[in-house]
Amino acid sequence: MARSGNHHFFRLATMAKIPSTWVAGLFLGIGLCGSALAAVDPAQVPTPNAGSRPRICLALGGGGARGAAHVGVLEALQQLRIPVDCIAGTSGGAIVGGLYASGFTAQELQATLERPDLQASMAGKQPRSLLSYPDKQYQLEYLLHVEFGYARGRFFFPEGIIAGGDPERILNVLTLATQPNTDFSKLPIPFRAVATDIDTGAEVVLDHGSLAEAMRASMSVPGVYPPVQLDGHLLVDGGLVDNLPVDVARQMGADVVIAVNVSTPLAKPDSLNNVVGVSLQVIILMGNQNVTRSIASLKTGDVLIQPDLGDISAVDFKRAADAIRIGREAALEALAPLHGLQLSPQAYAQYQAQHVHVPEALGSVDFIEIRGNHYIPTAMIRARMVTRAGERWDFQRINRDLEHVYRLNYFTKVTASIGHQGSRTGLVISVDEKPWQPNYLYFGLRIADDFEGGSEYGLLFGWTRTELNEFGGEWRNQFQIGTTRRVYTELYQPLDYAGDVFAAPHAEYLNTLSYIYSGEDLVAQYGTRVIRGGFDFGGEFGNLAELRFGPSYGHVISQPHVGASTLPNYHDTLGGLRLRFGLDSLQGDTGFPMSGSYLTLNGFWARDWLGSDVNYDRLELTGVQAFGDGTHSLVLTTDIGSSMHTQMPFYDEFTLGGFLSLSGLRNQQLRGQQVLSMHVIYLQRVGNLPSVLGNGWYVGVSLEGGNVWDSTQNISAHGLQYGSALFVGADTALGPVYLGTGFSQSGHQTFYLYIGLPFNLN
């Protein structure tokens, strides 16, 4: 059916409806179909008559990350001089096919798919370099965050576990650079993308409109990526109805169909020992049916290529290079004997010249227009952009602009297009505002056990309410229960549209335990309760650093729970000035940094003229520097603290002891007015966990030195104590998990189980 204006053109193939009871279970359907074998007799491939040749179309199947093999097939086609006259793609095949059809070469596609930032974005694992500074700290503190909203009498929750904005942004910018025609038949190579109407179960063949949206719709695995709304249809992954679109290629006029099946094979029976495994097997079987039908429809002269992708899964985007290589080898083996499809060098050069896409020459960005925002101020969106009118077109810069605007988290979609106003050519940024004010829930877990009676645990919760006003004010709340109990609330209020400066009134309740040792013997345990409030003024330095400074006032009660009856009690009012500077450029799995830096500087100056019962200074610098290549990492940590020639109260003293803090000692075994510690940690990534369980797993070793002193005059290298640790660790769905053993200078050995961050980062 045809629509005018900016509407999309669809061809709907009537299919049986997908049973609603299965829809929720299809979140891993991206290429989870089975495969079959087929052979092609080279003698049966039609030889073109003189002056003519068969129309060759590709049918590129879905397979998620396994779809990178399609790039290898395209490289083989170029190497063998086999022309491609049309492409039909599903899911991962739609992405590779759409980009190739719009003008990308196979070599450009390989370079694109091997980009680490793109691989992480497609897998929903944002590189930390793209996160805001507050989001980086939330990532260190919490394991999981969930967005929800409330509007018009109902709650809203994400429609997929991976936000669709990043893949759509990437596809948008990639196709923006080639400026494709909105009629897919007029691309350098005619193209069709296959999607599924989730309301009816019908196959939807996209042949017009936004190429980026069409590719994104085709890969929208239910439950993983949000559906795409196009022309009244709610579209999800096309693999549910046609994971190998041979029929679509045939309808495009193909004389010869080259079908590439990269779907995931069935699991082995011995792995079907749990509910999840059985459920996934059912999903695979469902998808296998339409793949089998497609393969059965191949005719004499058609070609079926099925790369043996082994254990590369639908979400192994980091293994794109392996998939491309395997796809190229499989295609060369299948296609090299088919001389009837190969053109002479002269004829292939002529074919390439006819199918090259020459984009419109662009000079400067004559204007910038923002569309679609109703509640979010245009000034806030412009403040997040670095592109300015009058500058030359820079698509990498536009990509960063879209990234920064999307990171505001106020929009479901942010796209760019090239607009015209008479003879002027400009950049049009279109946003779709969320129909609710976003709220975020955060969940975290901390467990530390030295198997000698020293155990601590904590459950962490957070709630952030955003969009409080036009400058983007937020109400941030944090809660912790367990060994330490904490409630923290803050009104974070930017003072400009860019969010570079802010004010933050805050309040906190803290109830924690402190330990006093004599040698290796625990002699006292204190309970300390703190109630305080303050007002911070601060600034953000991009997404790299944050500075806060302001007054603080509160009360502290610290009393012994265990120990001699003569131990002192503390009831103090504390008034003073607080400073915090933080810098974070760490990269790698949470808890296992592979590169980058982390730095915090915390200062507190308690003064009687601000209402304090005691006067003292406290200044502490914590740093982490990681040097690595993704597999091996050397991590240097340091902790330097001083009371600056004053006398800090007991409850604010520096402590050392515990896992990777003079390992072999008990938690807080050393306590004093001055602290100096330096640790060297070597990490080696030795494997990957299954995607549903986490990321990598590691082995590590540490050498540690440090001590505490009561005065600066006592600090000396001869007074340092030493420790070491051996451990294995994993970046799991529960957070960083470590199991290790530590050795103190005295020869004491301690075993550790640790869930959370052992480095002093928070």
Side-chain angles (χ1 to χ4, degrees):
M1 55 183 177
R3 302 287 182 91
S4 59
N6 292 325
H7 291 284
H8 299 265
F9 286 65
F10 295 93
R11 185 168 65 253
L12 301 181
T14 303
M15 302 288 292
K17 285 190 175 182
I18 300 172
S20 59
T21 54
W22 293 110
V23 172
L26 291 172
F27 61 95
L28 286 178
I30 189 169
L32 293 178
C33 305
S35 60
L37 297 176
V40 177
D41 184 352
Q44 294 180 326
V45 176
T47 302
N49 298 323
S52 67
R53 62 176 181 82
R55 180 175 174 84
I56 302 173
C57 289
L58 300 181
L60 304 181
R66 294 163 65 94
H70 294 313
V71 176
V73 173
L74 295 174
E75 290 178 346
L77 290 168
Q78 290 180 179
Q79 179 179 336
L80 297 172
R81 302 190 303 276
I82 296 176
V84 176
D85 300 297
C86 51
I87 302 174
T90 297
S91 194
I95 293 175
V96 173
L99 293 176
Y100 190 72
S102 69
F104 278 76
T105 66
Q107 291 72 28
E108 290 170 337
L109 285 175
Q110 178 170 0
T112 299
L113 293 183
E114 292 179 1
R115 280 169 35 195
D117 62 327
L118 182 140
Q119 294 172 350
S121 294
M122 296 299 287
K125 300 173 182 177
Q126 281 302 314
R128 298 189 80 249
S129 60
L130 302 182
L131 300 178
S132 67
Y133 180 83
D135 284 343
K136 290 178 182 179
Q137 307 320 298
Y138 282 133
Q139 186 190 66
L140 294 176
E141 188 83 11
Y142 299 100
L143 314 175
L144 173 69
H145 77 272
V146 177
E147 179 183 348
F148 74 97
Y150 182 83
R152 299 184 300 278
R154 69 186 185 95
F155 285 96
F156 293 82
F157 291 92
E159 296 175 304
I161 61 175
I162 298 176
D166 286 316
E168 187 156 356
R169 168 182 54 79
I170 293 168
L171 296 173
N172 177 210
V173 175
L174 290 174
T175 55
L176 181 67
T178 59
Q179 302 177 58
N181 195 297
T182 56
D183 182 350
F184 300 167
S185 294
K186 295 181 180 179
L187 293 175
I189 301 174
F191 171 71
R192 301 289 184 268
V194 177
T196 303
D197 188 324
I198 197 63
D199 291 329
T200 65
E203 178 180 356
V204 179
V205 180
L206 301 169
D207 60 6
H208 195 90
S210 165
L211 181 60
E213 284 189 331
M215 292 186 290
R216 194 20 208 101
S218 184
M219 62 166 281
S220 296
V221 183
V224 177
Y225 294 107
V228 173
Q229 186 81 39
L230 285 179
D231 198 31
H233 297 272
L234 194 61
L235 301 180
V236 296
D237 193 288
L240 303 182
V241 292
D242 197 355
N243 203 44
L244 188 61
V246 172
D247 57 334
V248 179
R250 194 87 63 199
Q251 293 162 12
M252 297 178 74
D255 297 315
V256 174
V257 174
I258 299 178
V260 186
N261 178 27
V262 295
S263 54
T264 305
L266 293 170
K268 296 180 179 179
D270 58 5
S271 67
L272 303 178
N273 53 10
N274 56 68
V275 173
V276 174
V278 173
S279 299
L280 292 180
Q281 189 80 333
V282 172
I283 295 171
I284 294 171
L285 289 170
M286 290 175 61
N288 187 35
Q289 295 176 7
N290 72 66
V291 170
T292 301
R293 287 196 304 268
S294 295
I295 292 175
S297 71
L298 292 172
K299 300 179 179 179
T300 300
D302 292 336
V303 181
L304 175 63
I305 301 172
Q306 298 192 110
D308 183 6
L309 295 169
D311 62 349
I312 299 178
S313 76
V315 294
D316 282 337
F317 292 95
K318 290 184 178 180
R319 299 187 64 184
D322 292 336
I324 292 171
R325 173 183 53 79
I326 295 170
R328 180 173 54 250
E329 293 172 352
L332 288 173
E333 181 179 358
L335 296 171
L338 309 183
H339 303 292
L341 299 180
Q342 301 170 22
L343 300 181
S344 67
Q346 296 80 6
Y348 191 71
Q350 183 180 7
Y351 155 80
Q352 289 181 309
Q354 292 172 344
H355 291 80
V356 68
H357 180 65
V358 181
E360 171 189 358
L362 296 173
S364 62
V365 180
D366 298 327
F367 64 88
I368 298 176
E369 182 180 350
I370 310 296
R371 296 177 182 173
N373 58 310
H374 303 289
Y375 302 105
I376 307 302
T378 298
M380 179 183 289
I381 298 173
R382 288 185 178 273
R384 294 306 196 276
M385 299 176 58
V386 294
T387 300
R388 296 289 181 266
E391 297 178 344
R392 296 191 62 81
W393 287 84
D394 185 332
F395 292 103
Q396 290 185 351
R397 182 178 295 176
I398 292 172
N399 180 53
R400 291 195 296 271
D401 287 339
L402 297 181
E403 207 169 69
H404 294 159
V405 173
Y406 186 72
R407 295 283 168 249
L408 285 169
N409 291 324
Y410 298 156
F411 310 108
T412 58
K413 182 167 64 176
V414 179
T415 59
S417 60
I418 298 172
H420 298 277
Q421 295 178 357
S423 60
R424 303 169 69 224
T425 302
L427 175 64
V428 177
I429 303 295
S430 299
V431 299
D432 286 354
E433 293 178 334
K434 293 178 178 178
W436 64 89
Q437 288 182 308
N439 291 258
Y440 297 90
L441 292 177
Y442 303 90
F443 303 94
L445 174 67
R446 285 182 180 171
I447 295 176
D449 196 333
D450 61 8
F451 302 100
E452 295 184 7
S455 61
E456 297 184 359
Y457 73 94
L459 298 176
L460 291 77
F461 307 91
W463 168 48
T464 297
R465 171 70 181 270
T466 67
E467 283 189 52
L468 296 182
N469 48 53
E470 66 172 341
F471 282 151
E474 298 181 358
W475 184 20
R476 300 173 176 176
N477 301 274
Q478 299 179 33
F479 311 90
Q480 181 174 344
I481 59 175
T483 309
T484 296
R485 283 158 284 176
R486 179 175 182 258
V487 178
Y488 178 84
T489 185
E490 171 183 291
L491 178 62
Y492 178 84
Q493 180 57 62
L495 301 179
D496 61 1
Y497 286 118
D500 294 331
V501 292
F502 62 87
H506 55 85
E508 180 180 32
Y509 168 79
L510 181 66
N511 190 331
T512 188
L513 295 177
S514 302
Y515 304 96
I516 299 177
Y517 284 84
S518 175
E520 295 182 358
D521 298 323
L522 178 66
V523 296
Q525 180 188 83
Y526 269 73
T528 301
R529 288 177 292 163
V530 181
I531 299 176
R532 61 188 167 208
F535 198 105
D536 289 345
F537 293 94
E540 301 278 355
F541 301 89
N543 68 342
L544 187 63
E546 178 184 271
L547 174 66
R548 289 171 172 248
F549 182 76
S552 174
Y553 183 85
H555 299 274
V556 177
I557 300 175
S558 187
Q559 299 173 316
H561 290 175
V562 176
S565 59
T566 57
L567 290 172
N569 294 297
Y570 298 88
H571 296 265
D572 294 334
T573 295
L574 293 182
L577 297 175
R578 288 190 177 274
L579 174 143
R580 177 181 171 88
F581 174 76
L583 179 149
D584 186 348
S585 65
L586 291 179
Q587 294 294 317
D589 289 343
T590 305
F592 303 92
M594 283 288 121
S595 63
S597 307
Y598 187 94
L599 178 73
T600 59
L601 175 64
N602 286 291
F604 180 61
W605 296 267
R607 294 295 182 267
D608 53 9
W609 54 270
L610 286 172
S612 185
D613 291 338
V614 291
N615 291 320
Y616 70 94
D617 300 337
R618 190 183 196 276
L619 194 64
E620 183 176 21
L621 176 69
T622 300
V624 176
Q625 179 65 52
F627 308 89
D629 59 5
T631 302
H632 307 271
S633 178
L634 188 67
V635 183
L636 309 179
T637 74
T638 185
D639 186 17
I640 303 172
S642 175
S643 61
M644 308 297 289
H645 304 290
T646 65
Q647 185 66 32
M648 291 188 300
F650 151 78
Y651 48 78
D652 226 358
E653 287 183 324
F654 303 107
T655 64
L656 285 176
F659 183 51
L660 298 183
S661 178
L662 289 187
S663 300
L665 299 182
R666 306 290 297 276
N667 181 35
Q668 301 183 21
Q669 186 170 334
L670 302 181
R671 175 181 295 275
Q673 297 282 310
Q674 324 292 325
V675 66
L676 172 63
S677 68
M678 293 172 288
H679 306 152
V680 179
I681 304 167
Y682 171 75
L683 296 171
Q684 181 176 348
R685 183 170 181 145
V686 293
N688 297 310
L689 296 175
S691 298
V692 295
L693 298 180
N695 297 310
W697 66 282
Y698 300 79
V699 295
V701 59
S702 72
L703 297 175
E704 309 159 28
N707 209 341
V708 298
W709 297 268
D710 286 331
S711 73
T712 55
Q713 286 77 18
N714 296 332
I715 299 175
S716 71
H718 298 292
L720 293 177
Q721 296 194 37
Y722 300 94
S724 61
L726 298 170
F727 59 90
V728 295
D731 186 32
T732 74
L734 293 177
V737 176
Y738 305 81
L739 183 63
T741 183
F743 306 88
S744 69
Q745 180 175 299
S746 64
H748 183 72
Q749 182 179 8
T750 303
F751 293 91
Y752 297 102
L753 170 65
Y754 207 103
I755 300 177
L757 288 172
F759 309 123
N760 184 21
L761 296 183
N762 304 111

